[in-house]
């Protein structure tokens, strides 16, 4: 069973998560910060049974499509190939909501 944790609890995985996300998606926004007083939540970390990085999800801020406000969006999502097809990406998105 894989577990999802906030990167605030496991900050040691942030560098590896950024490297994996950028390898998969290219350049991504900074993990944390704020934009127009909207705080970007810390990334979510997906860990396997041996506490190895199995994936993660990072957030960004962007303009809302129908309102004149800044909103938090999912910026990048990754599940390592050996854990794909098991619902872990859906679990990360549900946790992010």
């Amino acid at each position: 069973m894989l577990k999802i944790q906030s990167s605030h609890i496991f900050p040691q995985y942030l560098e590896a998560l950024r490297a994996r996300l950028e390898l998969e998606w290219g350049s991504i926004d900074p993990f944390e910060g704020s934009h127009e007083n909207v705080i970007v939540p810390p990334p979510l970390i997906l860990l396997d049974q041996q506490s190895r990085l199995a994936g993660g999800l990072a957030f960004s801020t962007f303009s809302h499509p129908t309102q004149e406000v800044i909103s938090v969006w999912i910026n990048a999502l990754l599940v390592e190939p050996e854990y794909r097809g098991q619902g872990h990406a859906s679990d990360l998105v549900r946790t992010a909501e």
Side-chain angles (χ1 to χ4, degrees):
M1 171 124 182
L2 276 60
K3 61 183 174 182
I4 299 171
Q5 298 287 337
S6 169
S7 60
H8 273 303
I9 298 170
F10 292 100
Q12 67 269 29
Y13 293 100
L14 285 174
E15 187 175 327
L17 177 61
R18 174 170 288 286
R20 286 295 297 122
L21 289 170
E22 288 185 343
L23 185 64
E24 191 80 15
W25 295 104
S27 180
I28 61 171
D29 289 345
F31 279 154
E32 295 185 52
S34 65
H35 184 255
E36 294 187 20
N37 296 320
V38 175
I39 297 172
V40 178
L44 299 175
I45 305 291
L46 181 66
L47 300 174
D48 70 9
Q49 297 85 346
Q50 289 79 37
S51 293
R52 293 180 301 212
L53 184 64
L57 180 148
F59 301 93
S60 288
T61 57
F62 293 104
S63 297
H64 192 280
T66 61
Q67 301 174 12
E68 302 248 347
V69 297
I70 298 297
S71 298
V72 174
W73 297 82
I74 293 173
N75 182 13
L77 171 67
L78 171 78
V79 175
E80 293 293 352
E82 62 266 31
Y83 298 110
R84 293 179 184 168
Q86 301 171 38
H88 300 303
S90 295
D91 292 341
L92 282 162
V93 171
R94 275 193 294 277
T95 302
E97 295 176 329

